[in-house]
Amino acid sequence: MHGKSVSALLATTKEPPSEVKMDVMEGDQMERMETNEEEVDLMDIELQEKTPDIIFTPKRQFHVDYLILKCVQPALGNVKDPPTDSSRAIERLKIILNSLQNDSGDMTVLTGIAKHLTSILKEKEQGPTTMMTNWLSAEASKPENINRAGTFRRFAVQCLESKVIPLLAGIIAFIDTNRNLDILTFNEQWKIGLWLQIFNDPELTQLRYTGIVSPSRHQELQEVIVKTTSLEGKVFSAGLPFSWLIFQQIDEVLRNTINTKEVGDSWFDVVMKATEIFQELPLGKLLSSTEGTYIHPLLKSYILDFVHMVHAVQSEEECNLVCETVRIGCKILIEGEFGRLLLSLIGCHMTHILHDVRFKNFSHIVHVWPGVSRRTVEFQQKESNFHLVTDEEITLDILALHMLIDHLEPSKESLNKPETRTKWLRKVCDYRPIIERIFGHFNQDTDRREFHYGKKCQRGIEQARLQWTRVVVVKLFIEHVCTSGKEELDIRRCMPLWQTFREGADMKDIKSLEKMERFLKLCHKDIVKKCFGDQAKCISCENPIEGAPVRLPCDHVICRKCFYDCVTLKEFECPHGGCHENFPADLNPDKSENVGEIRKYQDYRTRCNSFFMEVVSQLCFAEGTPPSQEVIEKLLSYIIGHSKGKKVERVVSRELTIFDDSIDPTPVVRSFLLQQLMQTSGHEIETHLLAYFNYADRLVKTTGDKQQLIELCLLVMTCMEDSLHQQYAHREDEITMATKMLRDAVPNIIGDIELLDKIDNLSKVRFSLTVVSKYIHKLYGTAQKSMPDPTVRKLFDAASKLCEECGSPWPRRYFVKQLCRCYGIESYQTVVTKSEASFLRWVRLPELKGNKVEECHDRYIVTGDEYKELRETIVTAVLSENSEKLELLLQDMQNILRVINGKILNDQRLGADPLLQILYETDKPQDTEAVMLLQEVPSVWRYRAMITVNHLRQHLDAAKMKLPVLRLFLKEEYHLRAIRFVPSIIRLQKMLMQKYNRKLDRAEATTLTIADVKVQMRQERRLKEFGHLLEDYIEAWNCVRESLETYLCPANESLVTVDKEYCRKDITEDTSISHLIPTYKDAGLCSYALLFFLLKKQNIFLDNYCSQTKQKEDNLPKVHVKDISSAHLISYHPDKDLLPMVLANCNYSFEVGQGTRIDYNVTNLERQLMDRFLFSKSLITKIQEIETITYRSESTNAVVFKSLYLRVKQERLNPAVLSQICGELRLKSYPDLCESLDKLDIAISFLKSVGSDPESSLNDFMTNTLKMDNPFPSQKAQQATRCKHTMSLWITLAMERAKFLAKYDKKAFEGISENFKKPLTEEQTQGVEDILNKLPIELIDVFVELLFECIVLKIDVPQNIDDEDYVDMSKICLRDALIGYLDACPYDEDLTIEDTLMTAIGQLPSDKDDLNRILTAQSIEVWSLVNKVFTSKQRQRR
């Protein structure tokens, strides 16, 4: 019978189920074991099922019921709840105790616990950590254990309990997931019956030993956290028993079925297949047996729980709306089969999977406007006939979208006052992200033909889009045209514009554009009247003057359009029939007596034009599609006009404006409208581009200069090339598209094709060769040599074919320019040396002598001492990390380089080098350049820096404009771009903390790698989500890690820095998971500091932003760190959001005779940046409350009492009461003392979690609330102790236990580290005794207690050896430790120590040079000595 397993003690019975009995050894066996006469294994205890065929003969039997009931209270004490549900512990205790006391029948809570306990122990014993045989008898036979427990059998039972308690805690925590125990209190017998059926079958719950222990070392947990399966970790009460188990099994079955979906299967087919699989599983079989009357209540309860598990529920109304939407979607999906239980359950899951984005969109709407749920419910009740109030399709998100946009309806005068306008704009900016996200998803769904939106939703989207465009138009008008300045002209009333678009606005339609034009002209008319009064008619066209009049020297007044017509046609005479007086060709039309009014008027015109261009770019060309043909023609009519003179009519250019009098005296071709067209797609785009090109062609031809036509071609080509870079750069198919463009271009660039097509092909060649240069450098431009994969090889072959067959040297030269100018001449030199490979021979320039490239380490050295001085200054600034000096040097670097490059070309040593001539483009334009041979024109192949954020930064530095916000943004942009990853970082941290909190210790976390976690995530079907979050985390880490090397991060009331070794390592699959889980030290500080840095970066930036814009920081919205979402953050993608904004504000233009130039509209760019990225962003509060993990091994007495003190302030017991308690305790047995201490431990575990009134009776709390019998052996302790005395009482009981053990020379401090148990020398012992002999016995007694407290609460506190402020406590002198403890005593009142005792403490040897110096490493020996002296003096007194 030797070596029986513990699980054998807990085998379940059949008659009766809960009367599981175990045979206990005969008295003579027990007696022999107690005297060690014979080794008998206590595991000879045998459990058998009670059946009629077996006759039991044991004299005594042990019931497992008793074991469970005895262990349930300490087990409940080990079960911990989230801080938001701290009161749950008491509720759970009451439910469990009531259920155990009132159990009757074959299936009860008690039988369920017994079955799970047996199942778990069997799994444990069959695993790799199987317990040794004879372990129980070996432990129980030790004299010290018998002495502690009182009897051999009592210790055996206690030892068995110690193994059962942590497992029982794990079972209780499991069955109370989502407050699942509450269902036992419901007055619904079918739910209680289902609850008991599931719990009494371990096969249904699938609760395993591995699920309640630490993940890698499989160590049992002293504290078990109750989990919630809600989406955001919020506690909710389940409506259906063990609904999370049903959810997990259905989700696993359904996703596996989806993965094996065949091409012809519909989603209904997938649901049917998953149902067939699920109904064969034990849980499916149980649910399918549900009686028909309970099917609909069961479905309703499950859908409610399901919504909590997949949706971030904020209110009851929201929950009900989502539940109803899931029901509608399921009903539609399973085609009238709703009501078949298993099919309906799985249909709910599939509905959410198919419409996941739409449910998230609704959640985002609720986040920005929590009242939308209530408003939607009210609307459904009042407007039941509205087309979106239906159960024929899912409409919740679109209906909520309508409610959200309707909520932007301004009151009668709110848009006419600056203060209320500002509030309205803030609300618009808050709502805009989610509104535009819904429109974007609808467009994507339509493009992919996924049909997630029904016809009613499609109609609803279009209606919402019209109303949102109306909002945007008014918003842009307020921002651009309305001002709050006193001097500027202002449009005070904006409500007429709102009313103009009462039916909505579609700026792609000519009707809406004309409505806006009419409104602007009415406003313009009012402004003109304000500035210049009533106007007369123009003497030339005889129409009323609608703008600033022009007064000629002859005193006649004409309108500006007529004036510019005269200038354009060079007819410099008064158009009045009877005058004809000449006026100067350089007459300034703005020169007038009303200079101030003209300035205000021109400022108003500028603001109107800015508004109009924003409407065109944001709305007319929205979503990548062009407006209607009528709108295009209308826009073209704005930029081209006709000047009519007496003898001639001529085509003229104008700004993009509604005002007819904005004529350019010299023709100017602007790229704004062309760039907008290039951003669109569709079959009409070629027609629109051709229309623009024909207009520009007509304009240029009026000059008669063919070179100007080439300039036009270059402008168009530049816009096309920018569009290609924006469209394909950084895309996965970048190489494939560049290869195709090169192949298609070979016949086209030399063929006789339309000019616009040739320009298109040339722009594609330039783009593709830029891509080629990037990969050539990557593979061959460095010392490391790599072989291209087949895809890249095809790209190189296409480039080679182009250069060899196009018949022109320019594509090859352009490639060399790109390679050298972007990556350095050294890169080209390296490539040429490796060009023996057939696919690289084409890179050599035939014009280079002997195909040799001269090596020049620093070609700028030829410019002399000036350059040497500059170089030395830069090196010094870099080495000294003087960023300000470096920035000052770099500000004018573009001009410096231009001057130096000119010197190089004029230097005879380098200026004659063919390569340098190509690089610095010394070729002169040919006189016979023909536009149809555009590929041979050198200017077509000139190198130009691409439009990037860095290019913008350089332009801004050279411009020396103020623009403080734009400069601030560009300075911090590299870190700001990483802020968009904050939600992913937080989500990843929460995912890992929920998975590993209190399950891992710090050592385990350092050995568990990301690769290991991926395996676990794959098993849990969460690998895809984990992978995406990890990618975002790594990208953010790479952006920030260099800065973290020197960043002082506040953590746990101190400043810490991340170890540089961590910062310099890449995160790979071999990286330990501890890097990703936030802590205040070690590798986890990487995760904590990363998040802290980014949040702090946003706060600092917004603070500086407020300073630059003269705003008050207090006016910014604020959000707690635990409530952050993307809407609160400066969140943008550098390539998808920022770069398009830069390109939209970078315009090319060429004025006849002046050439092409690049103009950044930096003022508008700054405004857009503030509007789209910064407006309404939040300051993050309580950043220091970033959640961190609690590792399992970091909970000690000191930590526990710190938590207790935070919940219940602690005081010492009155000395007289304390003395009486100690006297009573000494009359009790040692086992009674230990039992009382164990019960007090349980009470502390509850109190530190749920708290209590400090003045309430501790005895009442333990007996009435925790249902403990006789918690204290001391009558005085029962009467006098309050909850505020808990720690003092624990110290007293623990010290009495230590004294008892010391009396019999047993180990009194088993749990204390060995570091503090070093022996005293004879001289040290004598010195301590001499000090003690001078003290009265009463003070020695106080010293015993004081030293005991100091050891437990201060000295033996775990520390991390890697901490910068780490101090080895064992090497501190004991005197200093005692004095430090007295200065920071963990009680609410100060401890008064008599001077005599303080003097004695001060006499403890502490000098570093004293050989008898006593350290804390000897504190246990000192306490034992002090206690021994006290005991001796006590005996002498008697």
Side-chain angles (χ1 to χ4, degrees), residues 502-720:
R502 64 174 61 88
E503 301 299 327
D506 178 8
M507 302 313 296
K508 293 179 182 292
D509 181 73
I510 190 63
K511 292 181 180 178
S512 293
L513 187 63
E514 288 176 343
K515 284 182 180 179
M516 186 186 71
E517 181 182 17
R518 284 195 296 270
F519 173 78
L520 288 177
K521 287 187 174 180
L522 285 173
C523 293
H524 179 251
K525 188 175 181 180
D526 291 339
I527 291 296
V528 169
K529 188 172 182 179
K530 283 182 183 179
C531 290
F532 310 111
D534 293 328
Q535 294 292 301
K537 291 184 178 181
C538 171
I539 60 167
S540 177
C541 63
E542 298 184 351
N543 291 321
I545 297 177
E546 296 181 350
V550 178
R551 187 172 294 277
L552 300 177
C554 61
D555 217 28
H556 286 122
V557 176
I558 61 173
C559 67
R560 296 215 162 206
K561 183 180 182 304
C562 291
F563 172 77
Y564 284 123
D565 283 346
C566 293
V567 172
T568 302
L569 299 175
K570 303 186 183 307
E571 296 177 355
F572 304 112
E573 63 177 29
C574 176
H576 189 272
C579 182
H580 302 298
E581 181 179 334
N582 291 334
F583 59 85
D586 59 350
L587 178 67
N588 183 1
D590 294 331
K591 189 174 181 181
S592 168
E593 297 176 358
N594 299 325
V595 175
E597 296 301 322
I598 288 180
R599 184 191 62 77
K600 292 180 184 179
Y601 170 72
Q602 295 294 354
D603 174 72
Y604 164 76
R605 286 273 296 258
T606 301
R607 287 184 275 133
C608 276
N609 290 342
S610 176
F611 159 68
F612 185 69
M613 293 181 73
E614 279 290 286
V615 170
V616 172
S617 61
Q618 285 195 38
L619 301 177
C620 293
F621 291 89
E623 299 167 356
T625 59
S628 66
Q629 182 65 35
E630 293 86 352
V631 171
I632 293 288
E633 291 173 357
K634 185 74 172 177
L635 294 176
L636 287 173
S637 73
Y638 289 142
I639 61 175
I640 190 170
H642 295 81
S643 290
K644 295 181 180 180
K646 296 178 180 179
K647 302 178 181 179
V648 68
E649 180 179 347
R650 183 175 173 183
V651 178
V652 295
S653 63
R654 303 191 310 172
E655 290 184 76
L656 184 65
T657 176
I658 63 168
F659 303 117
D660 296 331
D661 55 2
S662 297
I663 298 173
D664 298 313
T666 304
V668 179
V669 178
R670 298 177 177 87
S671 68
F672 175 79
L673 190 55
L674 173 62
Q675 286 174 299
Q676 299 304 318
L677 289 169
M678 292 300 305
Q679 300 298 319
T680 63
S681 60
H683 63 277
E684 311 99 340
I685 182 65
E686 292 183 6
T687 303
H688 298 326
L689 285 174
L690 185 59
Y692 173 89
F693 187 74
N694 288 338
Y695 133 74
D697 185 39
R698 274 194 301 154
L699 180 65
V700 170
K701 284 179 178 177
T702 61
T703 66
D705 186 351
K706 293 182 179 180
Q707 183 61 36
Q708 303 305 320
L709 185 56
I710 291 177
E711 286 288 339
L712 171 63
C713 295
L714 294 178
L715 182 144
V716 175
M717 185 180 69
T718 299
C719 292
M720 289 181 169

Side-chain angles (χ1 to χ4, degrees), residues 1200-1410:
V1200 168
F1201 284 127
K1202 184 178 180 180
S1203 300
L1204 173 65
Y1205 184 83
L1206 293 174
R1207 283 285 184 181
V1208 183
K1209 301 296 183 184
Q1210 293 297 295
E1211 296 179 7
R1212 294 180 185 275
L1213 280 163
N1214 181 279
V1217 173
L1218 199 59
S1219 177
Q1220 189 172 347
I1221 291 174
C1222 291
E1224 292 178 352
L1225 289 176
R1226 294 181 188 118
L1227 299 176
K1228 301 296 181 180
S1229 67
Y1230 178 70
D1232 288 339
L1233 178 62
C1234 292
E1235 184 180 1
S1236 296
L1237 197 55
D1238 290 341
K1239 289 180 178 179
L1240 188 57
D1241 281 334
I1242 296 172
I1244 290 172
S1245 69
F1246 278 97
L1247 284 171
K1248 77 182 181 70
S1249 299
V1250 301
S1252 182
D1253 181 2
E1255 300 296 334
S1256 61
S1257 168
L1258 180 60
N1259 184 69
D1260 288 348
F1261 178 79
M1262 297 175 71
T1263 54
N1264 299 334
T1265 304
L1266 303 182
K1267 308 296 182 184
M1268 292 180 176
D1269 296 329
N1270 301 318
F1272 302 125
S1274 164
Q1275 187 70 28
K1276 190 64 178 177
Q1278 293 181 19
Q1279 296 172 352
T1281 53
R1282 300 287 179 263
C1283 289
K1284 65 182 180 180
H1285 300 135
T1286 304
M1287 185 165 68
S1288 180
L1289 181 61
W1290 188 93
I1291 291 289
T1292 302
L1293 293 176
M1295 188 171 63
E1296 288 302 316
R1297 181 181 64 181
K1299 287 181 178 180
F1300 184 90
L1301 293 172
K1303 180 179 179 180
Y1304 296 99
D1305 294 327
K1306 304 297 180 183
K1307 293 181 179 179
F1309 293 86
E1310 286 186 8
I1312 301 296
S1313 169
E1314 295 296 321
N1315 294 334
F1316 306 109
K1317 297 180 180 179
K1318 307 301 181 186
L1320 294 168
T1321 65
E1322 290 184 7
E1323 291 80 5
Q1324 288 173 327
T1325 301
Q1326 186 61 52
V1328 174
E1329 288 179 348
D1330 291 343
I1331 294 171
L1332 294 174
N1333 287 332
K1334 298 175 184 178
L1335 294 175
I1337 189 173
E1338 293 79 10
L1339 291 183
I1340 297 176
D1341 190 17
V1342 173
F1343 194 13
V1344 171
E1345 180 181 354
L1346 176 63
L1347 185 53
F1348 185 86
E1349 286 184 11
C1350 183
I1351 292 170
V1352 173
L1353 301 179
K1354 179 176 177 63
I1355 293 176
D1356 188 41
V1357 176
Q1359 291 182 296
N1360 183 11
I1361 194 171
D1362 296 325
D1363 285 350
E1364 290 185 5
D1365 57 350
Y1366 167 77
V1367 177
D1368 188 348
M1369 282 297 296
S1370 65
K1371 295 181 180 179
I1372 294 176
C1373 66
L1374 182 60
R1375 185 200 70 169
D1376 292 348
L1378 281 167
I1379 293 174
Y1381 174 72
L1382 292 172
D1383 291 339
C1385 192
Y1387 289 99
D1388 212 25
E1389 80 280 11
D1390 295 330
L1391 178 63
T1392 303
I1393 301 294
E1394 291 191 19
D1395 293 341
T1396 306
L1397 180 56
M1398 287 299 300
T1399 301
I1401 293 173
Q1403 292 174 351
L1404 291 172
S1406 61
D1407 191 82
K1408 290 184 179 181
D1409 299 327
D1410 192 342

Side-chain angles (χ1 to χ4, degrees), residues 309-325:
M309 288 186 273
V310 298
H311 189 84
V313 175
Q314 303 293 332
S315 66
E316 185 178 352
E317 292 91 349
E318 179 188 7
C319 185
N320 292 335
L321 285 169
V322 177
C323 287
E324 179 62 17
T325 302

Side-chain angles (χ1 to χ4, degrees), residues 93-108:
L93 182 141
K94 292 178 180 178
I95 296 171
I96 288 286
L97 294 183
N98 287 337
S99 299
L100 294 178
Q101 291 171 2
N102 301 328
D103 269 6
S104 61
D106 294 340
M107 287 190 298
T108 66

Side-chain angles (χ1 to χ4, degrees), residues 4 70 92 119 140 240 250 332 365 406 541 559 645 663 736 895 979 983 1008 1021 1045 1055 1157 1164 1395:
K4 297 293 182 184
K70 197 167 188 303
R92 182 188 305 111
S119 173
L240 187 69
I250 289 178
I332 296 168
I365 291 175
D406 287 347
C541 63
C559 67
I663 298 173
T736 304
N895 292 328
I979 294 177
L1008 193 67
R1021 307 292 179 186
E1045 288 191 28
L1055 293 175
R1157 71 168 187 262
N1164 193 53
D1395 293 341

